[in-house]
Coordinates of all heavy atoms in Angstrom, one line a residue:
M173 N 58.6 14.3 -63.8 CA 58.4 15.1 -62.7 C 57.0 15.8 -62.8 O 56.7 16.3 -63.8 CB 59.5 16.2 -62.6 CG 59.8 16.7 -61.3 SD 61.2 17.8 -61.3 CE 62.4 17.0 -62.3
T174 N 56.2 15.6 -61.8 CA 54.9 16.2 -61.8 C 54.7 17.3 -60.9 O 55.6 17.6 -60.0 CB 53.9 15.1 -61.4 OG1 54.1 14.7 -60.1 CG2 54.0 13.9 -62.3
M175 N 53.7 18.1 -61.0 CA 53.4 19.2 -60.2 C 53.1 18.7 -58.7 O 53.5 19.4 -57.8 CB 52.2 20.0 -60.7 CG 52.0 21.3 -59.9 SD 53.4 22.4 -59.9 CE 53.2 23.2 -61.5
M176 N 52.5 17.5 -58.6 CA 52.2 17.0 -57.2 C 53.5 16.7 -56.5 O 53.6 17.0 -55.3 CB 51.4 15.7 -57.3 CG 49.9 16.0 -57.6 SD 49.2 17.2 -56.4 CE 49.2 16.2 -54.9
S177 N 54.6 16.3 -57.1 CA 55.8 16.0 -56.4 C 56.4 17.3 -56.0 O 57.1 17.4 -54.9 CB 56.8 15.3 -57.3 OG 57.2 16.0 -58.4
M178 N 56.2 18.4 -56.7 CA 56.7 19.7 -56.3 C 55.9 20.2 -55.1 O 56.5 20.8 -54.2 CB 56.6 20.7 -57.4 CG 57.4 22.0 -57.2 SD 57.5 22.9 -58.7 CE 57.2 24.5 -58.0
I179 N 54.6 20.0 -55.2 CA 53.7 20.5 -54.1 C 54.1 19.7 -52.8 O 54.1 20.3 -51.7 CB 52.2 20.3 -54.5 CG1 51.9 21.3 -55.6 CG2 51.4 20.5 -53.2 CD1 50.6 21.1 -56.2
K180 N 54.3 18.5 -52.9 CA 54.6 17.7 -51.7 C 56.0 17.9 -51.2 O 56.4 17.4 -50.2 CB 54.4 16.2 -52.0 CG 52.9 15.8 -52.2 CD 52.8 14.4 -52.4 CE 51.3 14.0 -52.6 NZ 51.1 12.6 -52.9
G181 N 56.9 18.6 -52.0 CA 58.2 18.9 -51.5 C 59.3 17.9 -51.9 O 60.4 18.0 -51.4
H182 N 59.0 17.1 -52.9 CA 60.0 16.1 -53.3 C 61.0 16.7 -54.3 O 62.0 16.1 -54.5 CB 59.3 14.9 -53.9 CG 58.4 14.1 -52.9 ND1 58.9 13.6 -51.8 CD2 57.1 13.9 -53.0 CE1 57.8 13.0 -51.1 NE2 56.8 13.2 -51.8
T183 N 60.6 17.8 -54.9 CA 61.5 18.4 -55.9 C 61.6 19.9 -55.6 O 60.7 20.4 -55.0 CB 61.0 18.2 -57.4 OG1 59.7 18.8 -57.5 CG2 60.9 16.8 -57.7
S184 N 62.6 20.5 -56.1 CA 62.8 21.9 -56.0 C 62.3 22.7 -57.2 O 62.2 22.1 -58.3 CB 64.2 22.3 -55.6 OG 65.0 22.1 -56.7
V185 N 62.2 24.0 -57.1 CA 61.8 24.8 -58.3 C 63.0 24.7 -59.3 O 62.7 24.6 -60.5 CB 61.6 26.2 -57.9 CG1 61.3 27.1 -59.1 CG2 60.4 26.3 -56.9
F186 N 64.2 24.7 -58.8 CA 65.4 24.6 -59.7 C 65.3 23.3 -60.5 O 65.6 23.3 -61.7 CB 66.7 24.7 -58.9 CG 67.1 26.0 -58.5 CD1 66.2 27.1 -58.5 CD2 68.3 26.2 -58.0 CE1 66.6 28.4 -58.1 CE2 68.7 27.5 -57.5 CZ 67.9 28.6 -57.6
Q187 N 64.9 22.2 -59.9 CA 64.8 20.9 -60.6 C 63.7 21.0 -61.7 O 63.9 20.5 -62.8 CB 64.5 19.8 -59.7 CG 65.7 19.4 -58.8 CD 65.4 18.4 -57.8 OE1 64.2 18.4 -57.3 NE2 66.3 17.6 -57.4
C188 N 62.6 21.7 -61.4 CA 61.5 21.8 -62.4 C 62.0 22.7 -63.6 O 61.6 22.4 -64.7 CB 60.3 22.4 -61.7 SG 59.5 21.2 -60.6
I189 N 62.7 23.7 -63.3 CA 63.2 24.6 -64.3 C 64.2 23.8 -65.2 O 64.2 23.9 -66.4 CB 63.8 25.9 -63.7 CG1 62.7 26.7 -63.1 CG2 64.5 26.7 -64.8 CD1 63.2 27.9 -62.3
G190 N 65.1 23.1 -64.5 CA 66.0 22.2 -65.3 C 65.4 21.2 -66.2 O 65.8 21.0 -67.3
D191 N 64.3 20.6 -65.7 CA 63.5 19.6 -66.5 C 62.9 20.3 -67.7 O 62.9 19.8 -68.8 CB 62.5 19.0 -65.6 CG 61.7 17.9 -66.3 OD1 62.3 17.1 -67.0 OD2 60.5 17.9 -66.2
A192 N 62.4 21.5 -67.5 CA 61.8 22.3 -68.6 C 62.8 22.7 -69.6 O 62.6 22.7 -70.8 CB 61.0 23.5 -68.1
Y193 N 64.0 23.0 -69.1 CA 65.1 23.4 -70.0 C 65.6 22.2 -70.9 O 65.8 22.4 -72.1 CB 66.3 23.9 -69.2 CG 67.5 24.3 -70.0 CD1 67.5 25.5 -70.7 CD2 68.6 23.5 -70.1 CE1 68.6 25.9 -71.4 CE2 69.7 23.8 -70.8 CZ 69.7 25.0 -71.5 OH 70.8 25.3 -72.3
I194 N 65.7 21.1 -70.2 CA 66.1 19.9 -71.0 C 65.1 19.5 -72.0 O 65.5 19.1 -73.2 CB 66.4 18.7 -70.0 CG1 67.6 18.9 -69.2 CG2 66.5 17.4 -70.7 CD1 68.9 19.0 -70.0
S195 N 63.8 19.5 -71.7 CA 62.8 19.2 -72.6 C 62.4 20.3 -73.6 O 61.6 20.1 -74.5 CB 61.5 18.7 -71.9 OG 61.0 19.8 -71.1
R196 N 63.1 21.5 -73.4 CA 62.9 22.7 -74.3 C 61.4 23.1 -74.3 O 60.8 23.5 -75.3 CB 63.3 22.5 -75.7 CG 64.8 22.1 -75.9 CD 65.7 23.3 -75.5 NE 67.1 23.1 -75.9 CZ 68.0 22.7 -75.0 NH1 67.8 22.5 -73.8 NH2 69.3 22.6 -75.5
D197 N 60.7 23.0 -73.1 CA 59.4 23.4 -72.9 C 59.4 24.9 -72.5 O 59.7 25.2 -71.4 CB 58.7 22.6 -71.8 CG 57.2 22.9 -71.7 OD1 56.7 23.8 -72.4 OD2 56.6 22.2 -70.8
A198 N 59.1 25.7 -73.5 CA 59.3 27.2 -73.3 C 58.3 27.7 -72.2 O 58.8 28.6 -71.4 CB 59.0 27.9 -74.6
Q199 N 57.1 27.3 -72.2 CA 56.1 27.9 -71.2 C 56.5 27.5 -69.8 O 56.5 28.4 -68.9 CB 54.7 27.3 -71.5 CG 54.1 28.0 -72.7 CD 54.0 29.5 -72.6 OE1 54.6 30.2 -73.3 NE2 53.2 30.0 -71.7
R200 N 56.9 26.3 -69.5 CA 57.2 25.9 -68.2 C 58.5 26.6 -67.8 O 58.7 27.0 -66.6 CB 57.4 24.4 -68.1 CG 56.2 23.6 -67.9 CD 56.4 22.2 -67.6 NE 57.5 21.5 -68.2 CZ 58.2 20.6 -67.7 NH1 58.0 20.1 -66.6 NH2 59.2 20.1 -68.4
F201 N 59.5 26.7 -68.7 CA 60.7 27.4 -68.4 C 60.5 28.8 -68.0 O 61.0 29.4 -67.1 CB 61.7 27.2 -69.5 CG 63.1 27.8 -69.2 CD1 64.0 27.1 -68.4 CD2 63.4 29.0 -69.8 CE1 65.2 27.6 -68.2 CE2 64.7 29.5 -69.5 CZ 65.6 28.9 -68.7
Y202 N 59.6 29.5 -68.8 CA 59.3 30.9 -68.7 C 58.6 31.1 -67.3 O 59.0 32.0 -66.6 CB 58.4 31.3 -69.8 CG 58.0 32.8 -69.7 CD1 58.9 33.8 -70.0 CD2 56.7 33.1 -69.5 CE1 58.5 35.1 -69.9 CE2 56.3 34.5 -69.4 CZ 57.2 35.5 -69.7 OH 56.8 36.8 -69.6
Y203 N 57.6 30.3 -67.0 CA 56.9 30.5 -65.7 C 57.8 30.2 -64.5 O 57.8 30.9 -63.5 CB 55.7 29.7 -65.7 CG 54.6 30.2 -66.6 CD1 53.9 29.3 -67.4 CD2 54.2 31.5 -66.6 CE1 52.9 29.8 -68.3 CE2 53.2 32.0 -67.4 CZ 52.6 31.1 -68.3 OH 51.6 31.6 -69.1
G204 N 58.7 29.2 -64.6 CA 59.6 28.9 -63.5 C 60.6 30.0 -63.4 O 61.0 30.4 -62.2
Y205 N 61.1 30.5 -64.5 CA 62.1 31.6 -64.4 C 61.5 32.8 -63.8 O 62.1 33.5 -62.9 CB 62.6 31.9 -65.8 CG 64.0 32.5 -65.9 CD1 65.1 31.7 -65.8 CD2 64.2 33.8 -66.1 CE1 66.4 32.2 -65.9 CE2 65.4 34.4 -66.2 CZ 66.5 33.5 -66.1 OH 67.8 34.1 -66.2
L206 N 60.3 33.2 -64.2 CA 59.6 34.3 -63.6 C 59.3 34.1 -62.1 O 59.4 35.1 -61.3 CB 58.3 34.6 -64.4 CG 58.4 35.3 -65.7 CD1 57.1 35.6 -66.3 CD2 59.2 36.6 -65.6
L207 N 59.0 32.9 -61.8 CA 58.7 32.6 -60.3 C 60.0 32.9 -59.5 O 59.9 33.5 -58.4 CB 58.3 31.1 -60.2 CG 58.1 30.6 -58.8 CD1 56.8 31.3 -58.2 CD2 57.9 29.1 -58.8
C208 N 61.1 32.5 -60.0 CA 62.4 32.8 -59.3 C 62.7 34.3 -59.3 O 63.2 34.8 -58.3 CB 63.6 32.1 -60.0 SG 63.6 30.3 -59.7
I209 N 62.4 35.0 -60.3 CA 62.6 36.5 -60.3 C 61.7 37.1 -59.3 O 62.1 38.0 -58.5 CB 62.4 37.0 -61.7 CG1 63.5 36.6 -62.6 CG2 62.3 38.6 -61.7 CD1 63.4 36.9 -64.1
R210 N 60.4 36.7 -59.3 CA 59.5 37.3 -58.3 C 59.8 37.0 -56.9 O 59.5 37.8 -56.0 CB 58.0 36.9 -58.7 CG 57.5 37.5 -59.9 CD 56.1 37.1 -60.2 NE 55.7 37.7 -61.5 CZ 54.8 37.2 -62.3 NH1 54.2 36.0 -61.9 NH2 54.5 37.7 -63.4
A211 N 60.3 35.8 -56.7 CA 60.7 35.4 -55.3 C 62.1 36.0 -54.9 O 62.5 35.7 -53.8 CB 60.7 33.9 -55.2
K212 N 62.6 36.8 -55.8 CA 63.9 37.5 -55.5 C 65.0 36.4 -55.3 O 65.9 36.6 -54.4 CB 63.8 38.5 -54.4 CG 62.9 39.6 -54.8 CD 62.9 40.7 -53.8 CE 62.0 41.7 -54.3 NZ 61.4 42.7 -53.8
T213 N 65.0 35.3 -56.0 CA 66.0 34.3 -56.0 C 67.3 34.8 -56.7 O 67.2 35.6 -57.6 CB 65.5 33.0 -56.7 OG1 64.3 32.6 -56.1 CG2 66.5 31.9 -56.6
N214 N 68.4 34.5 -56.2 CA 69.7 34.8 -56.8 C 69.8 34.1 -58.1 O 69.9 32.9 -58.2 CB 70.8 34.5 -55.9 CG 72.1 35.0 -56.4 OD1 72.2 35.5 -57.5 ND2 73.2 34.8 -55.6
I215 N 69.6 34.8 -59.2 CA 69.6 34.2 -60.5 C 71.0 33.6 -60.8 O 71.1 32.6 -61.6 CB 69.2 35.2 -61.6 CG1 67.8 35.7 -61.4 CG2 69.4 34.7 -63.0 CD1 66.7 34.6 -61.4
K216 N 72.0 34.1 -60.3 CA 73.4 33.5 -60.5 C 73.4 32.1 -59.9 O 74.0 31.2 -60.5 CB 74.5 34.4 -59.8 CG 74.7 35.6 -60.6 CD 75.8 36.4 -60.0 CE 76.1 37.7 -60.7 NZ 77.1 38.5 -60.1
A217 N 72.7 31.9 -58.8 CA 72.6 30.6 -58.2 C 71.8 29.6 -59.1 O 72.2 28.5 -59.2 CB 72.0 30.6 -56.8
L218 N 70.8 30.1 -59.7 CA 70.0 29.3 -60.6 C 70.8 28.9 -61.8 O 70.8 27.8 -62.2 CB 68.7 30.1 -61.0 CG 67.9 29.4 -62.2 CD1 67.3 28.1 -61.7 CD2 66.8 30.3 -62.6
H219 N 71.5 29.9 -62.4 CA 72.4 29.6 -63.5 C 73.5 28.6 -63.2 O 73.8 27.8 -64.0 CB 72.9 30.9 -64.1 CG 71.9 31.7 -64.8 ND1 72.2 33.0 -65.4 CD2 70.6 31.5 -65.1 CE1 71.1 33.5 -65.9 NE2 70.1 32.6 -65.7
K220 N 74.1 28.8 -62.0 CA 75.1 27.9 -61.6 C 74.6 26.4 -61.5 O 75.2 25.5 -61.9 CB 75.7 28.3 -60.3 CG 77.0 27.5 -59.9 CD 77.5 28.0 -58.6 CE 78.2 29.4 -58.8 NZ 79.0 29.8 -57.6
Y221 N 73.4 26.3 -60.9 CA 72.8 25.0 -60.8 C 72.5 24.4 -62.2 O 72.8 23.2 -62.5 CB 71.4 25.1 -60.1 CG 70.6 23.8 -60.1 CD1 70.9 22.8 -59.2 CD2 69.6 23.6 -61.0 CE1 70.1 21.7 -59.2 CE2 68.9 22.5 -61.0 CZ 69.1 21.5 -60.1 OH 68.4 20.3 -60.2
L222 N 72.0 25.2 -63.1 CA 71.7 24.7 -64.5 C 73.0 24.4 -65.2 O 73.0 23.4 -66.0 CB 70.9 25.7 -65.2 CG 69.4 25.9 -64.7 CD1 68.8 27.1 -65.4 CD2 68.6 24.7 -64.9
I223 N 74.0 25.2 -65.0 CA 75.3 24.9 -65.7 C 75.8 23.5 -65.2 O 76.3 22.7 -66.0 CB 76.3 26.0 -65.5 CG1 75.9 27.2 -66.3 CG2 77.7 25.6 -65.9 CD1 76.6 28.5 -66.0
N224 N 75.8 23.3 -63.9 CA 76.4 22.1 -63.4 C 75.6 20.8 -63.7 O 76.1 19.8 -63.9 CB 76.6 22.2 -61.9 CG 77.6 23.2 -61.5 OD1 78.5 23.5 -62.3 ND2 77.5 23.8 -60.3
R225 N 74.3 21.0 -63.7 CA 73.4 19.8 -63.9 C 72.9 19.5 -65.3 O 72.6 18.4 -65.7 CB 72.2 19.9 -62.9 CG 72.6 20.1 -61.5 CD 72.6 18.7 -60.8 NE 73.2 18.9 -59.4 CZ 72.5 18.8 -58.3 NH1 71.2 18.5 -58.4 NH2 73.1 18.9 -57.2
H226 N 72.7 20.6 -66.0 CA 71.9 20.5 -67.3 C 72.6 21.1 -68.5 O 71.9 21.3 -69.5 CB 70.5 21.1 -67.1 CG 69.7 20.5 -66.1 ND1 69.2 19.2 -66.1 CD2 69.3 21.0 -64.8 CE1 68.5 18.9 -65.0 NE2 68.6 20.0 -64.2
N227 N 73.9 21.3 -68.4 CA 74.6 21.9 -69.6 C 74.0 23.1 -70.1 O 73.6 23.3 -71.3 CB 74.8 20.8 -70.7 CG 75.9 21.2 -71.6 OD1 76.7 22.1 -71.4 ND2 75.9 20.5 -72.8
F228 N 73.8 24.1 -69.2 CA 73.0 25.3 -69.5 C 73.8 26.2 -70.5 O 75.0 26.4 -70.4 CB 72.8 26.1 -68.2 CG 72.1 27.4 -68.3 CD1 70.7 27.4 -68.6 CD2 72.7 28.6 -68.0 CE1 70.0 28.6 -68.6 CE2 72.0 29.7 -68.1 CZ 70.7 29.8 -68.4
N229 N 73.0 26.9 -71.3 CA 73.6 27.8 -72.3 C 72.7 29.1 -72.3 O 71.5 28.9 -72.5 CB 73.6 27.2 -73.7 CG 74.3 28.1 -74.7 OD1 74.5 29.3 -74.5 ND2 74.6 27.5 -75.8
R230 N 73.2 30.2 -72.1 CA 72.4 31.5 -72.0 C 71.7 31.8 -73.3 O 70.7 32.4 -73.3 CB 73.3 32.6 -71.5 CG 73.7 32.5 -70.1 CD 74.6 33.6 -69.7 NE 75.2 33.4 -68.4 CZ 74.8 34.0 -67.3 NH1 73.9 34.9 -67.3 NH2 75.4 33.8 -66.1
I231 N 72.3 31.4 -74.4 CA 71.7 31.7 -75.7 C 70.4 30.9 -75.8 O 69.4 31.5 -76.3 CB 72.7 31.4 -76.9 CG1 73.9 32.4 -76.8 CG2 72.0 31.6 -78.2 CD1 75.0 32.0 -77.7
I232 N 70.4 29.7 -75.5 CA 69.2 28.8 -75.5 C 68.2 29.4 -74.5 O 67.0 29.4 -74.8 CB 69.6 27.4 -75.3 CG1 70.5 26.8 -76.4 CG2 68.3 26.5 -75.2 CD1 71.0 25.5 -76.2
C233 N 68.7 29.8 -73.4 CA 67.8 30.4 -72.4 C 67.0 31.6 -72.9 O 65.8 31.7 -72.8 CB 68.6 30.8 -71.1 SG 67.7 31.7 -69.9
A234 N 67.8 32.5 -73.6 CA 67.2 33.7 -74.2 C 66.2 33.3 -75.2 O 65.1 33.9 -75.3 CB 68.2 34.6 -74.7
K235 N 66.5 32.3 -76.1 CA 65.6 31.8 -77.1 C 64.3 31.3 -76.5 O 63.2 31.5 -77.0 CB 66.2 30.8 -78.0 CG 67.3 31.4 -78.9 CD 67.9 30.4 -79.8 CE 69.0 31.0 -80.7 NZ 69.7 30.0 -81.5
L236 N 64.4 30.5 -75.4 CA 63.2 29.9 -74.8 C 62.4 31.0 -74.2 O 61.1 30.9 -74.3 CB 63.6 28.9 -73.7 CG 64.1 27.5 -74.2 CD1 64.6 26.7 -73.0 CD2 63.0 26.8 -74.8
L237 N 63.0 32.0 -73.6 CA 62.2 33.1 -73.0 C 61.5 33.9 -74.0 O 60.3 34.3 -73.9 CB 63.1 33.9 -72.1 CG 63.7 33.3 -70.8 CD1 64.7 34.2 -70.2 CD2 62.6 32.9 -69.9
R238 N 62.2 34.2 -75.1 CA 61.6 34.9 -76.2 C 60.4 34.1 -76.8 O 59.4 34.7 -77.2 CB 62.7 35.2 -77.3 CG 62.8 36.6 -77.6 CD 63.8 36.9 -78.7 NE 65.1 37.0 -78.1 CZ 66.2 36.3 -78.5 NH1 66.1 35.5 -79.5 NH2 67.3 36.4 -77.9
K239 N 60.6 32.8 -77.0 CA 59.6 32.0 -77.6 C 58.3 32.0 -76.7 O 57.2 32.0 -77.2 CB 60.2 30.6 -77.8 CG 59.2 29.6 -78.5 CD 59.9 28.3 -78.6 CE 58.9 27.3 -79.2 NZ 59.5 25.9 -79.3
A240 N 58.5 31.9 -75.4 CA 57.4 31.9 -74.5 C 56.6 33.2 -74.5 O 55.4 33.2 -74.3 CB 57.8 31.5 -73.1
R241 N 57.3 34.3 -74.6 CA 56.7 35.6 -74.6 C 55.8 35.9 -75.8 O 54.8 36.6 -75.8 CB 57.8 36.7 -74.5 CG 58.3 36.9 -73.1 CD 59.1 38.2 -73.1 NE 60.2 37.9 -72.1 CZ 61.5 38.1 -72.3 NH1 61.9 38.5 -73.5 NH2 62.3 37.9 -71.3
V242 N 56.2 35.3 -77.0 CA 55.5 35.5 -78.2 C 54.1 34.8 -78.1 O 53.1 35.3 -78.6 CB 56.3 34.9 -79.4 CG1 55.5 34.9 -80.7 CG2 57.5 35.8 -79.6
K243 N 54.1 33.6 -77.5 CA 52.8 32.9 -77.4 C 51.8 33.5 -76.6 O 51.7 34.3 -75.8 CB 53.0 31.5 -76.9 CG 53.7 30.6 -78.0 CD 53.9 29.2 -77.5 CE 54.6 28.4 -78.5 NZ 54.8 27.1 -78.2

C-alpha cells in the first residue's frame, strides 16, 4: 500500500493503520493513530475495524505508540 493510493482514494486511513500494525511499523502506526485522534474519529470504530481485520491487541498497540514516542 503506497501513499499515492491513499491520496487517490483507493484505500482508507483505517487500512493504512492496519497495514502499519501488521508490519509493526511504529512511526506509521503512531502518525495514523494521531491523525484519527485529531480528526475526532471514533477510536472505538478504529479498534473494532482492527480487531475484525488484523487481530488487534491493545497491549501491542500501546507498545507501538510508546516505541514511536521515544524516537
